Amino acid sequence: QQQVKQSPQSLIVQKGGISIINCAYENTAFDYFPWYQQFPGKGPALLIAIRPDVSEKKEGRFTISFNKSAKQFSLHIMDSQPGDSATYFCAAIHGSSNTGKLIFGQGTTLQVKP
Amino acid sequence: DAGVIQSPRHEVTEMGQEVTLRCKPISGHDYLFWYRQTMMRGLELLIYFNNNVPIDDSGMPEDRFSAKMPNASFSTLKIQPSEPRDSAVYFCASSSGRGARSNEKLFFGSGTQLSVL
């Protein structure tokens, strides 16, 4: 019940295209859903996050769509650029719990071709 | 701020040797996390501390692994004896303890690439 399942494992998109990465969770106590971006040789860095009281959050070219009833959320990268090539992790946490901890998906390696 | 600092960046050792990984969290952060990243298992939480006290070590794979946080600015992850299956990238992360939901936003170091031959 603590798992977060992420797909696809890898993704190749042409420059200017839309990249879509999906995640699903089971634990209904999760109340914070971030996405982390990781470049080679670096640690993951927080990209964008959403709470379950909204269905969508947009920051620039990055949008999270959240479906509470389906227990799914996804990351959309509009107008994908070669600089977006990285590994993306979804995560979930029961943040309001003092002992909550981030549970990460398996990661998606995105390659944006020029 | 220099961010989370980990050392060494790369460690190559032979099976059976002791390995010590080091981490300096962001100043003022009250939470410190150790993660392991592999292709097969992704990012796994090994242990985390709050105010230098271990809170959850359920992810520590075996007794060969131990972690300490002697003060607010330093933590170590030790593997003794090391085995080839311990080869992975080990990340340290920290977060601010101010207010509720303090462990939601993690700041990661650049990791230590460990290779056990």
Side-chain angles (χ1 to χ4, degrees):
Chain A
Q1 213 189 20
Q2 286 286 15
Q3 279 188 319
V4 176
K5 295 182 179 179
Q6 183 172 346
S7 64
Q9 188 174 4
S10 62
L11 183 61
I12 300 175
V13 173
Q14 289 294 128
K15 179 182 176 181
I18 302 174
S19 304
I20 301 175
I21 305 170
N22 301 299
C23 283
Y25 64 98
E26 290 294 326
N27 189 347
T28 55
F30 288 149
D31 57 6
Y32 181 73
F33 302 88
W35 285 87
Y36 280 75
Q37 180 188 55
Q38 182 183 27
F39 292 106
K42 300 292 186 182
L46 179 63
L47 179 64
I48 185 173
I50 196 168
R51 300 195 189 279
D53 54 343
V54 296
S55 60
E56 185 176 283
K57 183 172 182 180
K58 184 176 181 179
E59 290 183 4
R61 296 184 294 107
F62 299 90
T63 299
I64 300 178
S65 296
F66 186 83
N67 186 329
K68 189 174 182 178
S69 61
K71 291 186 284 187
Q72 295 176 348
F73 59 110
S74 59
L75 176 69
H76 296 236
I77 307 174
M78 312 298 289
D79 186 26
S80 299
Q81 299 297 312
D84 297 330
S85 297
T87 300
Y88 292 82
F89 294 93
C90 63
I93 184 174
H94 182 195
S96 56
S97 163
N98 289 335
T99 57
K101 51 191 179 185
L102 272 172
I103 307 297
F104 284 91
Q106 286 291 95
T108 297
T109 301
L110 170 66
Q111 182 184 358
V112 181
K113 291 195 168 183
Chain B
D1 197 324
V4 176
I5 299 173
Q6 291 187 246
S7 64
R9 287 299 311 274
H10 303 274
E11 177 80 36
V12 180
T13 190
E14 293 187 347
M15 182 174 63
Q17 296 298 306
E18 178 180 293
V19 175
T20 299
L21 311 181
R22 297 172 176 79
C23 175
K24 176 179 169 56
I26 292 173
S27 177
H29 281 192
D30 295 346
Y31 284 84
L32 184 138
F33 305 80
W34 282 101
Y35 281 86
R36 178 172 66 178
Q37 184 176 30
T38 61
M39 288 294 293
M40 289 296 295
R41 301 175 70 91
L43 273 167
E44 299 175 275
L45 177 63
L46 301 177
I47 185 172
Y48 78 92
F49 296 82
N50 178 218
N51 291 321
N52 314 336
V53 176
I55 301 301
D56 185 343
D57 65 355
S58 60
M60 296 286 263
E62 299 172 31
D63 291 345
R64 299 183 296 106
F65 286 71
S66 62
K68 294 182 179 180
M69 191 165 186
N71 57 63
S73 59
F74 183 66
S75 177
T76 59
L77 178 68
K78 187 175 293 186
I79 308 172
Q80 167 63 21
S82 58
E83 297 183 3
R85 60 194 168 116
D86 301 331
S87 297
V89 181
Y90 290 81
F91 287 103
C92 175
S94 69
S95 67
S96 170
R98 301 187 196 94
R101 301 181 173 274
S102 53
N103 49 0
E104 288 181 344
K105 300 178 182 179
L106 302 189
F107 295 82
F108 284 81
S110 294
T112 295
Q113 173 77 58
L114 174 64
S115 298
V116 183
L117 307 177

